[in-house]
Amino acid sequence: TANAGVLLTQVLHIKDHRSVGGRLHIICDAGMADLIRPALYSAEHPMYILGNKDAEQDILVDIDGPLCENADRLAEEKRFSEVFQGDILVVEQAGAYGLTMASNYASSFRPAEVLIKDGEASLIRKRESFEDLITLEV
């Protein structure tokens, strides 16, 4: 079922450390709390910019999540195409591993789920809210 799902994440910020011998860091709104496999056991997922799947991938990047954790990374030293703030990245093969392994680590909200059937999109699970996060606390 891995191929049945994708994770969509928006680029929040880009840090360019190439001038000091580093890499380009793409900071996204999804990370290890949404897809733990890369942090847990260095799994690699195919990724591309929405609407630009066939773009030349010639820039070495790290694709990082929003949490202040060194493990909050969706990809490390990945060849990628030119990317801009606001772009939507598609992370493939997340169907079996995304929400089923997602967590509320660092008070992260688990993402919404959308089912696409016969070309029609339906929201089947809403994104969590702060109220959802604290509802079981006493």
Side-chain angles (χ1 to χ4, degrees):
T1 60
N3 291 337
V6 298
L7 172 66
L8 301 179
T9 182
Q10 186 173 28
V11 175
L12 299 174
H13 183 68
I14 298 170
K15 291 183 180 179
D16 192 347
H17 296 286
R18 294 176 290 186
S19 65
V20 292
R23 285 189 294 278
L24 194 68
H25 287 263
I26 301 169
I27 315 300
C28 298
D29 66 355
M32 67 184 228
D34 307 291
L35 184 63
I36 189 78
R37 294 182 75 241
L40 193 60
Y41 44 84
S42 302
E44 295 183 21
H45 289 259
M47 298 180 196
Y48 58 91
I49 298 168
L50 184 65
N52 206 6
K53 186 173 186 173
D54 298 322
E56 185 176 348
Q57 298 186 330
D58 57 354
I59 303 169
L60 193 61
V61 303
D62 286 352
I63 301 176
D64 302 322
L67 304 176
C68 190
E69 285 281 349
N70 61 353
D72 192 26
R73 182 163 284 152
L74 294 173
E76 186 172 9
E77 295 186 3
K78 184 170 188 66
R79 292 275 168 205
F80 213 72
S81 57
E82 187 174 16
V83 62
F84 299 96
Q85 184 176 354
D87 282 350
I88 302 295
L89 305 186
V90 178
V91 183
E92 292 186 329
Q93 300 174 0
Y97 316 107
L99 191 65
T100 59
M101 296 175 76
S103 73
N104 294 117
Y105 180 75
S107 298
S108 297
F109 303 137
R110 286 179 286 196
E113 283 189 304
V114 175
L115 174 71
I116 299 175
K117 182 177 179 183
D118 300 327
E120 295 290 322
S122 301
L123 182 67
I124 60 171
R125 186 178 193 280
K126 66 180 182 108
R127 179 175 176 81
E128 289 178 334
S129 66
F130 178 73
E131 289 74 24
D132 295 326
L133 200 61
I134 63 168
T135 192
L136 298 177
E137 294 190 17
V138 292

